[in-house]
Amino acid sequence: APSEIYQQVPLDPHLDFLFEGDDALYSARLWTHGYDFYSPAQNIVFHSYDAAVHGAAPKVIDDPDVPSNWKDLQEVSQKRVRYLLDIKKKGTQDSEQFNDPQVMQRVGLYGMGSARTLSDYYQFAGIDVSEWKL
């Protein structure tokens, strides 16, 4: 997509130390803003996380400038993803209370679009968030 995509659907800067969830969140945001997805019939590129093959890569959390409360910041980011994707924490049936101001920062700007619903995205992607199934 052209670079305007980042102006129309800006990356969320409130996802500190998040490693898993940002791609799923951005995909849902793009879909609900009206962007379509296409996939080749076969895999043509991939990303390997296999440390046995590539060796142990340096981690951001090992940087001396990383705050000691990085895990707390990561949990806030994970809660934000769950809030924006309207999913429950795995293993629970209750919705979390999202009254943390850090979780709710500028969710209007970094939330879902209005071209399609989040439910439409889940149906398109074959995702059942209530059962955690693809």
Side-chain angles (χ1 to χ4, degrees):
S3 63
E4 301 91 53
I5 197 169
Y6 296 113
Q7 293 172 350
Q8 295 168 2
V9 186
L11 294 173
D12 189 340
H14 305 290
L15 299 174
D16 295 329
F17 300 99
L18 188 67
F19 183 70
E20 296 175 336
D22 55 327
D23 295 334
L25 176 58
Y26 198 58
S27 297
R29 291 182 57 224
L30 288 169
W31 175 264
T32 61
H33 279 86
Y35 284 88
D36 293 322
F37 301 134
Y38 302 94
S39 178
Q42 64 183 26
N43 289 332
I44 56 174
V45 66
F46 68 96
H47 185 124
S48 174
Y49 292 100
D50 189 347
V53 173
H54 305 290
K59 295 186 168 88
V60 170
I61 58 172
D62 294 332
D63 186 307
D65 293 329
V66 169
S68 60
N69 69 335
W70 71 267
K71 284 187 179 185
D72 297 330
L73 298 171
Q74 182 183 57
E75 177 60 26
V76 170
S77 298
Q78 291 167 341
K79 284 181 182 180
R80 182 177 178 87
V81 169
R82 289 193 299 273
Y83 171 76
L84 291 169
L85 292 177
D86 194 26
I87 57 177
K88 295 172 179 61
K89 194 170 184 176
K90 192 170 185 176
T92 67
Q93 294 300 315
D94 299 322
S95 294
E96 293 180 74
Q97 296 298 317
F98 294 104
N99 55 5
D100 184 334
Q102 287 182 293
V103 171
M104 303 303 291
Q105 286 185 78
R106 302 177 73 192
V107 293
L109 178 60
Y110 300 109
M112 299 302 141
S114 59
R116 294 184 277 218
T117 68
L118 186 57
S119 294
D120 290 340
Y121 171 72
Y122 288 141
Q123 184 176 9
F124 164 78
I127 299 171
D128 180 345
V129 292
S130 64
E131 296 294 325
W132 282 75
K133 292 182 182 177
L134 293 174

